[in-house]
Amino acid sequence: MIIITGGAGFIGSNLVNKLVSKSNYEIVSVDHNNEKNKHYFLNDNFKKILPEDLEIFIKNNNKKIIAIVHLGAITSTTEKNLDLIIKNNLELSIFLWSWCKKNNKRLIYASSAATYGDGSNLFDDREDDQYLSKLNPLNLYGWSKQIFDRLINKKKEQPPQIVGLKFFNVYGPNENHKGNMKSIVLKIHQTISKGMDVKLFKSHNENYKDGEQLRDFIYVKDVVSIIEWFIENPKLNGLFNVGTGVPRSFNDIAKAVFSNSNKREKITYIDTPIEIRNQYQYFTKANIKKLRGSGYLKDFFSLEDGIKDYIIKNLIK
């Protein structure tokens, strides 16, 4: 049995679909939105439970459980409620880590590239606390992931497998519920589908032209492939970046979406809102040497191929 918290979310639902389609394990999705987002699932060949029932469920199914993939969290980078962040992003993570350690179960969990802050300390998935202590997340979401990474990294006793995955900018199917946190790919597609001009943020950094801010965008199918690979390799442990290692611009994304939507390019540039300007990242690039060195050698979708697959297969019906 493999338990996936946040199983009805963006990455979680894609992982559930992949594992159900090819895994011999019983799959369990833990999510308040299992029914609300049921259209995300390809079939019902898995078990659904509510988060409040998780503790009792894992206690009663201890012998069946092989691993927990912990993806459930408040992922909004603009969330200001500290108590809510602590309860959902820290307390649950600490409980699952403690339970897995005590019961000799494997744990794969979602960290985030948001832990790197403005990138001034680079984007290296190092685990030594001297490096981790230098990172300065720009929001509470990133802070919560950083605290958990550091907290468990200092512990001598660990679950038999403990893997933290620092997701960069993920896009792909099943993100419609994410509101303002959905990917720029989906936002642009929805905008041009309405016949409206695409609006990208102006650059307020002299080193970047308008729309040329760079991020490491990774297709969700690649993310799922990496998670699946760690499930299949139980001896691997540590923090790992999950990105392509190839930063691309917002202009590149807009052009790819226009191309696959058969629409003429119409882009205007607007000021970055004052309230997020100090938190805005102009450059992210995953260092994936550790991931490659650990044996994950599969090619990633290029930005153009990922957007084409996303739009043609999932958004244009």
Side-chain angles (χ1 to χ4, degrees), residues 43-180:
N43 58 55
D44 289 321
N45 297 332
F46 62 95
K47 189 173 184 62
K48 303 173 185 177
I49 66 170
L50 295 172
E52 51 264 37
D53 298 327
L54 176 60
E55 187 171 355
I56 294 177
F57 182 84
I58 59 178
K59 180 180 179 181
N60 292 339
N61 292 274
N62 191 322
K63 293 183 179 180
K64 293 182 179 181
I65 297 171
I66 302 297
I68 296 177
V69 181
H70 179 37
L71 303 175
I74 292 175
T75 59
S76 173
T77 57
T78 58
E79 179 59 59
K80 302 297 183 183
N81 189 327
L82 178 59
D83 291 338
L84 199 63
I85 288 286
I86 289 174
K87 179 180 180 180
N88 288 276
N89 292 14
L90 274 175
E91 291 181 356
L92 178 57
S93 298
I94 292 170
F95 165 73
L96 290 175
W97 175 84
S98 298
W99 187 88
C100 286
K101 177 173 67 71
K102 179 180 179 181
N103 292 278
N104 203 38
K105 305 298 182 181
R106 299 158 55 193
L107 177 64
I108 299 170
Y109 73 92
S111 181
S112 173
T115 58
Y116 292 119
D118 63 5
S120 58
N121 289 292
L122 304 179
F123 301 92
D124 296 333
D125 43 7
R126 289 166 51 184
E127 298 165 34
D128 58 287
D129 198 63
Q130 183 179 3
Y131 173 72
L132 291 177
S133 65
K134 294 179 181 179
L135 301 182
N136 186 26
L138 300 176
N139 49 64
L140 286 179
Y141 165 68
W143 171 83
S144 69
K145 296 298 184 179
Q146 167 78 338
I147 290 294
F148 185 67
D149 287 344
R150 292 188 66 191
L151 180 66
I152 65 170
N153 190 56
K154 294 179 180 179
K155 304 293 185 181
K156 291 184 179 180
E157 293 186 24
Q158 297 285 0
Q161 182 185 35
I162 180 72
V163 173
L165 300 177
K166 293 197 170 193
F167 298 129
F168 278 67
N169 290 74
V170 187
Y171 67 94
N174 299 0
E175 57 170 322
N176 291 281
H177 67 286
K178 290 173 66 65
N180 194 48

Side-chain angles (χ1 to χ4, degrees), residues 99-297:
W99 187 88
C100 286
K101 177 173 67 71
K102 179 180 179 181
N103 292 278
N104 203 38
K105 305 298 182 181
R106 299 158 55 193
L107 177 64
I108 299 170
Y109 73 92
S111 181
S112 173
T115 58
Y116 292 119
D118 63 5
S120 58
N121 289 292
L122 304 179
F123 301 92
D124 296 333
D125 43 7
R126 289 166 51 184
E127 298 165 34
D128 58 287
D129 198 63
Q130 183 179 3
Y131 173 72
L132 291 177
S133 65
K134 294 179 181 179
L135 301 182
N136 186 26
L138 300 176
N139 49 64
L140 286 179
Y141 165 68
W143 171 83
S144 69
K145 296 298 184 179
Q146 167 78 338
I147 290 294
F148 185 67
D149 287 344
R150 292 188 66 191
L151 180 66
I152 65 170
N153 190 56
K154 294 179 180 179
K155 304 293 185 181
K156 291 184 179 180
E157 293 186 24
Q158 297 285 0
Q161 182 185 35
I162 180 72
V163 173
L165 300 177
K166 293 197 170 193
F167 298 129
F168 278 67
N169 290 74
V170 187
Y171 67 94
N174 299 0
E175 57 170 322
N176 291 281
H177 67 286
K178 290 173 66 65
N180 194 48
M181 297 308 300
K182 57 194 170 190
S183 75
I184 188 66
V185 176
L186 180 54
K187 287 181 179 179
I188 291 176
H189 183 267
Q190 290 177 333
T191 297
I192 65 179
S193 295
K194 297 175 183 176
M196 301 166 59
D197 288 2
V198 169
K199 296 179 180 180
L200 300 179
F201 287 149
K202 291 180 180 178
S203 172
H204 300 275
N205 183 323
E206 62 181 11
N207 295 318
Y208 297 86
K209 296 180 180 179
D210 293 343
E212 290 300 310
Q213 301 93 324
L214 297 168
R215 301 279 178 86
D216 193 329
F217 297 96
I218 182 168
Y219 194 31
V220 71
K221 289 185 178 181
D222 285 323
V223 171
V224 166
S225 177
I226 290 170
I227 297 173
E228 183 182 25
W229 185 75
F230 277 107
I231 292 173
E232 294 171 350
N233 289 273
K235 293 184 178 181
L236 293 175
N237 293 276
L239 283 173
F240 293 85
N241 283 335
V242 179
T244 64
V246 182
R248 299 293 298 273
S249 73
F250 287 92
N251 285 333
D252 289 337
I253 284 188
K255 291 177 181 178
V257 176
F258 275 116
S259 175
N260 286 285
S261 304
N262 296 315
K263 301 286 186 179
R264 182 173 60 86
E265 291 183 23
K266 294 185 293 183
I267 302 174
T268 58
Y269 300 96
I270 61 174
D271 288 335
T272 304
I274 294 293
E275 61 269 22
I276 67 169
R277 202 171 292 181
N278 291 333
Q279 303 173 0
Y280 192 81
Q281 291 176 305
Y282 278 82
F283 178 86
T284 65
K285 178 185 178 181
N287 181 342
I288 58 173
K289 289 182 180 180
K290 185 192 290 188
L291 181 66
R292 292 306 197 194
S294 295
Y296 187 82
L297 304 178

Side-chain angles (χ1 to χ4, degrees), residues 34-47:
N34 276 325
E35 292 304 319
K36 182 179 180 181
N37 291 346
K38 62 183 180 181
H39 56 288
Y40 285 169
F41 301 118
L42 299 180
N43 58 55
D44 289 321
N45 297 332
F46 62 95
K47 189 173 184 62

